[in-house]
Amino acid sequence: MHAAGVFGTWAVAEAARDATGRSPTSVTAVGDCDPAAGALNSVASRNPQMRGLLAGARQLTRQWLALSIPREYNLDADRLSHPAKLQDVKADAAAAGLIVHAAPIPERCWEVLLTVTREVAGEEGEEGLSLIYLIRRRRKQRCRPPAPPDHYPNK
């Protein structure tokens, strides 16, 4: 689902903004979905769900540089899309000398996703409604709130 690529890219940037307390002037995003990268770069899509998500992304910043790389080079992002694998990814990052901060996806992103999914569900019936159920369930499984901004170095 290409809309998931747009949502994930935009939602991570929003989570980073909330965690750091700093609004970006631009976002460089690396993913493995060519259509999502193309949509973010052009701020256009024929897909109605992607158009709604792009509107949210444009509210964060007007400058996006989205890159699409082969999936085999984007394995950590793929692993992070499964909440049960979070601890393994954190351990691997720590072993590589990285500092890890949890930054949950903001509620406003979930609201936009739910709104555009409802619009599509009206057109797609049962399949769209099951996606709404999955979104609501995922919102309940989010991680704890991020540490206050004063916990982040180099601010």
Side-chain angles (χ1 to χ4, degrees), residues 52-75:
L53 297 171
L54 290 168
R58 292 292 280 180
Q59 289 178 8
L60 175 65
T61 183
R62 293 197 144 321
Q63 293 186 341
W64 286 85
L65 174 58
L67 308 170
S68 181
I69 62 172
R71 189 173 186 89
E72 59 268 17
Y73 297 122
N74 199 31
L75 297 178

Side-chain angles (χ1 to χ4, degrees), residues 1-3 44-54 120 124:
M1 177 190 284
H2 306 310
S45 175
R46 290 183 290 170
N47 178 304
Q49 193 172 22
M50 288 175 71
R51 278 196 307 270
L53 297 171
L54 290 168
V120 172
E124 296 181 6

Side-chain angles (χ1 to χ4, degrees), residues 5-130:
V6 172
F7 176 75
T9 303
W10 165 55
V12 166
E14 288 279 2
R17 177 181 68 175
D18 286 0
T20 63
R22 299 159 82 182
S23 292
T25 56
S26 64
V27 173
T28 301
V30 179
D32 56 29
C33 179
D34 290 344
L40 282 162
N41 288 333
S42 67
V43 195
S45 175
R46 290 183 290 170
N47 178 304
Q49 193 172 22
M50 288 175 71
R51 278 196 307 270
L53 297 171
L54 290 168
R58 292 292 280 180
Q59 289 178 8
L60 175 65
T61 183
R62 293 197 144 321
Q63 293 186 341
W64 286 85
L65 174 58
L67 308 170
S68 181
I69 62 172
R71 189 173 186 89
E72 59 268 17
Y73 297 122
N74 199 31
L75 297 178
D76 285 337
D78 193 43
R79 289 170 56 204
L80 283 170
S81 68
H82 304 281
K85 298 179 181 180
L86 176 61
Q87 295 309 317
D88 292 339
V89 175
K90 288 170 82 174
D92 290 347
L98 300 172
I99 298 171
V100 179
H101 298 281
I105 295 172
E107 188 66 28
R108 65 186 171 276
C109 296
W110 292 112
E111 289 300 322
V112 170
L113 180 61
L114 192 57
T115 299
V116 298
T117 303
R118 280 187 178 130
E119 291 169 4
V120 172
E123 300 168 13
E124 296 181 6
E126 194 86 14
E127 183 178 319
L129 293 175
S130 65

